[in-house]
Amino acid sequence: MRTELCERLDIEFPIFAFTHCRDVVAAVSQAGGFGVLGAVGFTAEQLEIELEWIDQHVGDKPYGVDIVIPGKYEGMGEMDPAKLEEQLKQLIPPQHREFCAKLLADHGVPEIPADEPKRHELLGWTEATAAPQVEVALAHERVRLIANALGTPPKDVIERIHQAGRLVAALCGRAAQALKHKAAGVDIIIAQGGEGGGHTGDIGSVVLWPEVIDAVAPTPVLAAGGIGRGRQIAAALGMGAQGVWTGSLWLTVEEAEAPPSQMESYLSATSSDTVRSRSWTGKPCRMLRNDWTEAWEGPDSPGPLGMPLQGMLVTDAMTRVHRYAGPAQKVAFNPVGQIVGAMNEKLPVREVIYELVSEYFDSVERLQRLSPEE
Ligand SMILES: Cc1cc2nc3c(=O)[nH]c(=O)nc-3n(C[C@H](O)[C@H](O)[C@H](O)COP(=O)(O)O)c2cc1C
């Protein structure tokens, strides 16, 4: 299982785990994989606290940070986050705010007490908000890789990361995007098939992986989208991937932080219970289908806004569905891929990695039996 990327990053297994939860990052890296912290929900100051914690719990292992700088978004070019937020707020129509408020009220989701400070609406979905996150990440020695979602990272961001001696990865859902990443100097391409959780394209993994691997060779490719079993890792490495990049799988581990009702939604869902919806972030994102996603498709829907406006619009809803997760179960944001149908048990990270690796070896043996030496 040791690919060249394992040597470069000094890891035992080429299993990359994307997660928003610091405990999972540390546990995956400790177990021989490579944990990657999703930074999009954190301000630069909060990210510093998370990375400090990981440094104290990851031992001498490496880990990564994931940022989101989309190739295209409203307000692109404005680099002052406060100005950008003010400018973008004006673009959110009142009827959209009313639609969200009514949807939550109809489901009995309580409001946030009026005396609580309001959260920033503009999180790390833009270059203006992601650039300071990169600086924070690079100040932590064990951060060996920075990944970017939703587009080719800007030239200066790639240069900055390279100057600091770290690797740059970027996600893609089509071979053409992978070629753009390669031309910009990205070191590792993550090919994410449409069955994956979170933002995703519509080409399935089995078609996409070899297409991207061939298009960008010899640049290393990590296969993503739908991986939750060792058999799928064997398929990915058999096709020429240098490792796998996983996300959904880590939502239901013991170390993951999630309200009990959300955990229950994930553990009981089948592989046909997800949908690609723009209703939370403005770009197609795979999540569990529920009353919220259906309402945005329904006849009264004002239609989702683009990124980052939709994310700003739903900031209050996001806080409420998380805080009042029980009453909000039918309108909650549950990003996850189709592999959710195989996630039926809450296990510790170490055990999940062990199962992935042992099923991978079973698959390799099965193939070896098909081609005996004589
Ligand atoms: C809950 C969730 C949130 C995600 N958020 C991000 C993100 O902020 N940045 C990113 O690069 N990818 C994000 N992704 C995508 C993952 O990085 C990964 O590519 C994807 O989960 C792989 O497919 P899988 O879910 O089938 O394993 C997210 C995925 C999930 C499930």
Side-chain angles (χ1 to χ4, degrees), residues 325-370:
Q329 193 168 11
K330 290 191 173 153
V331 282
F333 178 42
N334 301 309
V336 73
Q338 292 175 344
I339 194 66
V340 71
M343 293 158 41
N344 304 319
E345 207 184 347
K346 208 170 159 184
L347 295 171
V349 162
R350 190 164 280 281
E351 209 163 308
V352 175
I353 299 257
Y354 176 81
E355 284 191 6
L356 289 173
V357 173
S358 63
E359 193 179 290
Y360 164 82
F361 282 112
D362 289 346
S363 311
V364 172
E365 273 175 27
R366 192 176 305 122
L367 289 177
Q368 279 165 347
R369 281 197 300 275
L370 289 176

Short mmCIF file of all heavy atoms in Angstrom, two decimals, residues 325-370:
data_model
loop_
_atom_site.label_atom_id
_atom_site.label_comp_id
_atom_site.label_asym_id
_atom_site.label_seq_id
_atom_site.Cartn_x
_atom_site.Cartn_y
_atom_site.Cartn_z
N ALA A 325 -30.68 20.85 17.20
CA ALA A 325 -30.61 19.76 16.22
C ALA A 325 -31.81 18.80 16.31
O ALA A 325 -32.27 18.29 15.28
CB ALA A 325 -29.31 18.99 16.40
N GLY A 326 -32.32 18.58 17.52
CA GLY A 326 -33.46 17.65 17.67
C GLY A 326 -34.67 18.14 16.88
O GLY A 326 -35.08 17.50 15.90
N PRO A 327 -35.24 19.32 17.26
CA PRO A 327 -36.41 19.81 16.51
C PRO A 327 -36.10 20.08 15.04
O PRO A 327 -36.99 20.04 14.19
CB PRO A 327 -36.77 21.12 17.22
CG PRO A 327 -35.75 21.37 18.27
CD PRO A 327 -34.93 20.14 18.44
N ALA A 328 -34.82 20.35 14.73
CA ALA A 328 -34.47 20.74 13.35
C ALA A 328 -34.09 19.54 12.47
O ALA A 328 -33.67 19.74 11.33
CB ALA A 328 -33.30 21.72 13.39
N GLN A 329 -34.29 18.34 12.98
CA GLN A 329 -33.77 17.17 12.24
C GLN A 329 -34.20 17.14 10.77
O GLN A 329 -33.43 16.78 9.90
CB GLN A 329 -34.19 15.88 12.94
CG GLN A 329 -33.42 14.66 12.43
CD GLN A 329 -33.61 13.43 13.31
OE1 GLN A 329 -34.47 13.43 14.18
NE2 GLN A 329 -32.81 12.40 13.08
N LYS A 330 -35.44 17.56 10.48
CA LYS A 330 -35.94 17.46 9.10
C LYS A 330 -35.51 18.61 8.19
O LYS A 330 -35.79 18.60 6.99
CB LYS A 330 -37.47 17.37 9.10
CG LYS A 330 -37.93 16.05 9.64
CD LYS A 330 -39.39 15.87 9.40
CE LYS A 330 -39.82 14.46 9.77
NZ LYS A 330 -41.22 14.42 10.15
N VAL A 331 -34.87 19.63 8.80
CA VAL A 331 -34.42 20.75 7.96
C VAL A 331 -32.92 20.99 8.14
O VAL A 331 -32.40 22.05 7.79
CB VAL A 331 -35.19 22.06 8.28
CG1 VAL A 331 -36.56 22.05 7.63
CG2 VAL A 331 -35.31 22.29 9.78
N ALA A 332 -32.21 20.00 8.70
CA ALA A 332 -30.79 20.20 9.02
C ALA A 332 -29.91 20.05 7.78
O ALA A 332 -30.33 19.47 6.77
CB ALA A 332 -30.36 19.20 10.08
N PHE A 333 -28.71 20.59 7.87
CA PHE A 333 -27.70 20.46 6.81
C PHE A 333 -26.87 19.22 7.11
O PHE A 333 -26.13 19.19 8.09
CB PHE A 333 -26.81 21.71 6.82
CG PHE A 333 -25.70 21.68 5.80
CD1 PHE A 333 -25.91 21.23 4.50
CD2 PHE A 333 -24.43 22.16 6.13
CE1 PHE A 333 -24.89 21.23 3.55
CE2 PHE A 333 -23.41 22.18 5.19
CZ PHE A 333 -23.63 21.71 3.90
N ASN A 334 -27.01 18.18 6.28
CA ASN A 334 -26.29 16.93 6.51
C ASN A 334 -25.48 16.55 5.27
O ASN A 334 -25.84 15.62 4.55
CB ASN A 334 -27.29 15.80 6.81
CG ASN A 334 -28.14 16.09 8.02
OD1 ASN A 334 -27.62 16.42 9.08
ND2 ASN A 334 -29.45 15.96 7.88
N PRO A 335 -24.38 17.24 5.02
CA PRO A 335 -23.61 16.90 3.83
C PRO A 335 -23.00 15.51 3.97
O PRO A 335 -22.41 15.18 5.00
CB PRO A 335 -22.50 17.97 3.80
CG PRO A 335 -22.42 18.52 5.17
CD PRO A 335 -23.76 18.32 5.80
N VAL A 336 -23.16 14.70 2.95
CA VAL A 336 -22.63 13.32 2.98
C VAL A 336 -22.79 12.72 1.59
O VAL A 336 -23.64 13.15 0.81
CB VAL A 336 -23.37 12.48 4.06
CG1 VAL A 336 -24.79 12.12 3.63
CG2 VAL A 336 -22.61 11.21 4.43
N GLY A 337 -21.98 11.72 1.29
CA GLY A 337 -22.04 11.07 -0.02
C GLY A 337 -22.84 9.78 0.02
O GLY A 337 -23.36 9.38 1.08
N GLN A 338 -22.92 9.12 -1.13
CA GLN A 338 -23.75 7.91 -1.22
C GLN A 338 -23.22 6.76 -0.36
O GLN A 338 -23.96 5.85 -0.02
CB GLN A 338 -23.83 7.48 -2.69
CG GLN A 338 -24.63 8.48 -3.52
CD GLN A 338 -24.64 8.15 -4.99
OE1 GLN A 338 -23.84 7.35 -5.48
NE2 GLN A 338 -25.54 8.78 -5.72
N ILE A 339 -21.95 6.84 0.04
CA ILE A 339 -21.39 5.78 0.88
C ILE A 339 -22.08 5.77 2.26
O ILE A 339 -21.92 4.83 3.04
CB ILE A 339 -19.85 5.95 1.02
CG1 ILE A 339 -19.17 4.70 1.60
CG2 ILE A 339 -19.47 7.17 1.83
CD1 ILE A 339 -19.23 3.49 0.75
N VAL A 340 -22.89 6.78 2.52
CA VAL A 340 -23.62 6.84 3.80
C VAL A 340 -24.41 5.55 4.05
O VAL A 340 -24.60 5.14 5.20
CB VAL A 340 -24.55 8.09 3.85
CG1 VAL A 340 -25.75 7.96 2.92
CG2 VAL A 340 -25.01 8.38 5.27
N GLY A 341 -24.82 4.89 2.97
CA GLY A 341 -25.58 3.64 3.11
C GLY A 341 -24.77 2.53 3.77
O GLY A 341 -25.33 1.59 4.33
N ALA A 342 -23.44 2.65 3.73
CA ALA A 342 -22.58 1.63 4.35
C ALA A 342 -22.07 2.09 5.72
O ALA A 342 -21.30 1.38 6.36
CB ALA A 342 -21.40 1.33 3.43
N MET A 343 -22.49 3.29 6.14
CA MET A 343 -22.01 3.82 7.43
C MET A 343 -23.09 3.56 8.48
O MET A 343 -23.92 4.43 8.75
CB MET A 343 -21.72 5.32 7.30
CG MET A 343 -20.55 5.62 6.39
SD MET A 343 -20.51 7.30 5.68
CE MET A 343 -21.01 8.33 7.00
N ASN A 344 -23.09 2.36 9.03
CA ASN A 344 -24.20 1.99 9.91
C ASN A 344 -23.80 1.79 11.37
O ASN A 344 -24.61 1.42 12.20
CB ASN A 344 -24.84 0.69 9.41
CG ASN A 344 -25.28 0.83 7.97
OD1 ASN A 344 -25.81 1.87 7.60
ND2 ASN A 344 -25.01 -0.16 7.14
N GLU A 345 -22.53 2.03 11.65
CA GLU A 345 -22.04 1.75 12.99
C GLU A 345 -21.03 2.82 13.39
O GLU A 345 -20.23 3.26 12.55
CB GLU A 345 -21.31 0.40 12.93
CG GLU A 345 -21.28 -0.36 14.20
CD GLU A 345 -20.44 -1.63 14.04
OE1 GLU A 345 -20.10 -2.02 12.89
OE2 GLU A 345 -20.11 -2.23 15.06
N LYS A 346 -21.08 3.22 14.67
CA LYS A 346 -20.14 4.23 15.15
C LYS A 346 -18.88 3.53 15.66
O LYS A 346 -18.96 2.78 16.64
CB LYS A 346 -20.84 4.97 16.30
CG LYS A 346 -20.40 6.36 16.49
CD LYS A 346 -21.34 7.04 17.49
CE LYS A 346 -20.66 8.22 18.09
NZ LYS A 346 -21.46 8.86 19.12
N LEU A 347 -17.76 3.73 14.99
CA LEU A 347 -16.53 3.03 15.38
C LEU A 347 -15.41 4.04 15.62
O LEU A 347 -15.44 5.14 15.05
CB LEU A 347 -16.08 2.10 14.25
CG LEU A 347 -17.01 0.93 13.90
CD1 LEU A 347 -16.53 0.23 12.63
CD2 LEU A 347 -17.08 -0.06 15.06
N PRO A 348 -14.41 3.66 16.43
CA PRO A 348 -13.28 4.58 16.59
C PRO A 348 -12.44 4.65 15.30
O PRO A 348 -12.40 3.67 14.54
CB PRO A 348 -12.46 3.96 17.72
CG PRO A 348 -12.99 2.60 17.96
CD PRO A 348 -14.31 2.47 17.27
N VAL A 349 -11.80 5.77 15.07
CA VAL A 349 -11.00 5.98 13.86
C VAL A 349 -10.02 4.83 13.61
O VAL A 349 -9.90 4.31 12.51
CB VAL A 349 -10.22 7.32 13.97
CG1 VAL A 349 -9.08 7.39 12.97
CG2 VAL A 349 -11.17 8.50 13.76
N ARG A 350 -9.33 4.43 14.68
CA ARG A 350 -8.30 3.39 14.52
C ARG A 350 -8.90 2.12 13.91
O ARG A 350 -8.31 1.48 13.04
CB ARG A 350 -7.69 3.10 15.90
CG ARG A 350 -6.46 2.25 15.88
CD ARG A 350 -5.72 2.33 17.21
NE ARG A 350 -4.91 3.54 17.30
CZ ARG A 350 -3.72 3.70 16.73
NH1 ARG A 350 -3.19 2.72 16.01
NH2 ARG A 350 -3.04 4.81 16.86
N GLU A 351 -10.12 1.78 14.35
CA GLU A 351 -10.76 0.56 13.84
C GLU A 351 -11.19 0.73 12.37
O GLU A 351 -11.08 -0.20 11.58
CB GLU A 351 -11.98 0.26 14.70
CG GLU A 351 -12.29 -1.22 14.75
CD GLU A 351 -13.22 -1.54 15.91
OE1 GLU A 351 -12.91 -1.13 17.05
OE2 GLU A 351 -14.25 -2.16 15.66
N VAL A 352 -11.66 1.92 12.02
CA VAL A 352 -12.06 2.16 10.63
C VAL A 352 -10.84 2.00 9.72
O VAL A 352 -10.90 1.34 8.68
CB VAL A 352 -12.68 3.58 10.47
CG1 VAL A 352 -12.97 3.88 9.01
CG2 VAL A 352 -13.96 3.69 11.30
N ILE A 353 -9.72 2.57 10.13
CA ILE A 353 -8.49 2.47 9.30
C ILE A 353 -8.08 0.99 9.21
O ILE A 353 -7.75 0.49 8.13
CB ILE A 353 -7.34 3.30 9.91
CG1 ILE A 353 -7.73 4.76 9.96
CG2 ILE A 353 -6.02 3.03 9.17
CD1 ILE A 353 -7.14 5.67 8.93
N TYR A 354 -8.15 0.29 10.33
CA TYR A 354 -7.75 -1.12 10.34
C TYR A 354 -8.62 -1.91 9.36
O TYR A 354 -8.13 -2.71 8.57
CB TYR A 354 -7.86 -1.69 11.76
CG TYR A 354 -7.55 -3.16 11.82
CD1 TYR A 354 -6.23 -3.61 11.85
CD2 TYR A 354 -8.58 -4.11 11.78
CE1 TYR A 354 -5.94 -4.97 11.85
CE2 TYR A 354 -8.30 -5.47 11.78
CZ TYR A 354 -6.99 -5.89 11.82
OH TYR A 354 -6.70 -7.23 11.81
N GLU A 355 -9.93 -1.66 9.38
CA GLU A 355 -10.84 -2.39 8.48
C GLU A 355 -10.57 -2.06 7.02
O GLU A 355 -10.61 -2.93 6.15
CB GLU A 355 -12.29 -2.09 8.83
CG GLU A 355 -12.71 -2.84 10.08
CD GLU A 355 -14.20 -2.80 10.33
OE1 GLU A 355 -14.95 -2.30 9.47
OE2 GLU A 355 -14.61 -3.28 11.40
N LEU A 356 -10.31 -0.78 6.74
CA LEU A 356 -10.00 -0.38 5.36
C LEU A 356 -8.77 -1.14 4.87
O LEU A 356 -8.75 -1.70 3.77
CB LEU A 356 -9.73 1.12 5.28
CG LEU A 356 -10.91 2.08 5.47
CD1 LEU A 356 -10.41 3.52 5.54
CD2 LEU A 356 -11.92 1.93 4.36
N VAL A 357 -7.74 -1.15 5.71
CA VAL A 357 -6.47 -1.76 5.29
C VAL A 357 -6.64 -3.27 5.14
O VAL A 357 -6.18 -3.86 4.16
CB VAL A 357 -5.35 -1.40 6.31
CG1 VAL A 357 -4.08 -2.17 5.99
CG2 VAL A 357 -5.09 0.11 6.29
N SER A 358 -7.34 -3.91 6.07
CA SER A 358 -7.43 -5.37 5.95
C SER A 358 -8.31 -5.78 4.77
O SER A 358 -7.98 -6.74 4.06
CB SER A 358 -7.82 -6.04 7.26
OG SER A 358 -9.08 -5.63 7.63
N GLU A 359 -9.38 -5.03 4.49
CA GLU A 359 -10.19 -5.39 3.32
C GLU A 359 -9.41 -5.12 2.02
O GLU A 359 -9.55 -5.84 1.04
CB GLU A 359 -11.53 -4.63 3.31
CG GLU A 359 -12.49 -5.22 2.28
CD GLU A 359 -13.85 -4.53 2.24
OE1 GLU A 359 -14.63 -4.67 3.19
OE2 GLU A 359 -14.12 -3.83 1.24
N TYR A 360 -8.57 -4.09 2.05
CA TYR A 360 -7.71 -3.81 0.88
C TYR A 360 -6.84 -5.04 0.61
O TYR A 360 -6.74 -5.50 -0.53
CB TYR A 360 -6.84 -2.57 1.16
CG TYR A 360 -5.68 -2.42 0.22
CD1 TYR A 360 -5.86 -1.84 -1.04
CD2 TYR A 360 -4.40 -2.87 0.56
CE1 TYR A 360 -4.79 -1.72 -1.92
CE2 TYR A 360 -3.35 -2.76 -0.31
CZ TYR A 360 -3.54 -2.18 -1.56
OH TYR A 360 -2.48 -2.07 -2.44
N PHE A 361 -6.21 -5.59 1.66
CA PHE A 361 -5.33 -6.74 1.44
C PHE A 361 -6.11 -7.97 0.97
O PHE A 361 -5.62 -8.74 0.14
CB PHE A 361 -4.47 -7.02 2.68
CG PHE A 361 -3.33 -6.05 2.78
CD1 PHE A 361 -3.27 -5.10 3.78
CD2 PHE A 361 -2.32 -6.05 1.82
CE1 PHE A 361 -2.25 -4.16 3.83
CE2 PHE A 361 -1.27 -5.13 1.86
CZ PHE A 361 -1.24 -4.19 2.87
N ASP A 362 -7.33 -8.15 1.48
CA ASP A 362 -8.16 -9.27 0.98
C ASP A 362 -8.38 -9.12 -0.53
O ASP A 362 -8.33 -10.10 -1.27
CB ASP A 362 -9.55 -9.25 1.65
CG ASP A 362 -9.47 -9.65 3.11
OD1 ASP A 362 -8.41 -10.18 3.51
OD2 ASP A 362 -10.44 -9.40 3.85
N SER A 363 -8.64 -7.89 -0.96
CA SER A 363 -8.91 -7.66 -2.39
C SER A 363 -7.67 -7.94 -3.23
O SER A 363 -7.76 -8.53 -4.30
CB SER A 363 -9.32 -6.21 -2.64
OG SER A 363 -10.30 -5.84 -1.76
N VAL A 364 -6.53 -7.51 -2.71
CA VAL A 364 -5.28 -7.73 -3.46
C VAL A 364 -5.03 -9.23 -3.59
O VAL A 364 -4.68 -9.73 -4.66
CB VAL A 364 -4.10 -7.01 -2.75
CG1 VAL A 364 -2.77 -7.38 -3.38
CG2 VAL A 364 -4.31 -5.50 -2.81
N GLU A 365 -5.27 -9.96 -2.51
CA GLU A 365 -5.07 -11.43 -2.56
C GLU A 365 -6.02 -12.05 -3.58
O GLU A 365 -5.66 -12.96 -4.31
CB GLU A 365 -5.33 -12.05 -1.19
CG GLU A 365 -4.10 -12.03 -0.33
CD GLU A 365 -4.41 -12.53 1.08
OE1 GLU A 365 -5.37 -13.32 1.25
OE2 GLU A 365 -3.72 -12.08 2.01
N ARG A 366 -7.26 -11.55 -3.59
CA ARG A 366 -8.25 -12.09 -4.54
C ARG A 366 -7.74 -11.91 -5.97
O ARG A 366 -7.81 -12.83 -6.78
CB ARG A 366 -9.59 -11.37 -4.35
CG ARG A 366 -10.75 -12.04 -5.07
CD ARG A 366 -12.08 -11.35 -4.78
NE ARG A 366 -12.38 -11.25 -3.37
CZ ARG A 366 -12.61 -10.11 -2.71
NH1 ARG A 366 -12.59 -8.96 -3.34
NH2 ARG A 366 -12.87 -10.12 -1.43
N LEU A 367 -7.18 -10.76 -6.25
CA LEU A 367 -6.66 -10.51 -7.60
C LEU A 367 -5.46 -11.41 -7.88
O LEU A 367 -5.29 -11.92 -8.99
CB LEU A 367 -6.26 -9.04 -7.76
CG LEU A 367 -7.41 -8.05 -7.82
CD1 LEU A 367 -6.89 -6.62 -7.89
CD2 LEU A 367 -8.31 -8.33 -9.02
N GLN A 368 -4.64 -11.58 -6.85
CA GLN A 368 -3.45 -12.44 -7.06
C GLN A 368 -3.86 -13.87 -7.37
O GLN A 368 -3.23 -14.54 -8.19
CB GLN A 368 -2.54 -12.39 -5.83
CG GLN A 368 -1.67 -11.14 -5.86
CD GLN A 368 -1.01 -10.85 -4.53
OE1 GLN A 368 -1.37 -11.44 -3.49
NE2 GLN A 368 -0.06 -9.93 -4.53
N ARG A 369 -4.94 -14.33 -6.73
CA ARG A 369 -5.40 -15.70 -7.01
C ARG A 369 -5.87 -15.84 -8.45
O ARG A 369 -5.88 -16.91 -9.02
CB ARG A 369 -6.53 -16.10 -6.04
CG ARG A 369 -6.03 -16.51 -4.67
CD ARG A 369 -7.10 -17.29 -3.89
NE ARG A 369 -8.32 -16.51 -3.67
CZ ARG A 369 -8.50 -15.65 -2.66
NH1 ARG A 369 -7.54 -15.46 -1.77
NH2 ARG A 369 -9.63 -14.99 -2.54
N LEU A 370 -6.31 -14.72 -9.03
CA LEU A 370 -6.79 -14.75 -10.41
C LEU A 370 -5.64 -14.80 -11.41
O LEU A 370 -5.83 -15.07 -12.58
CB LEU A 370 -7.64 -13.50 -10.71
CG LEU A 370 -8.99 -13.44 -10.05
CD1 LEU A 370 -9.67 -12.11 -10.36
CD2 LEU A 370 -9.89 -14.59 -10.50
#
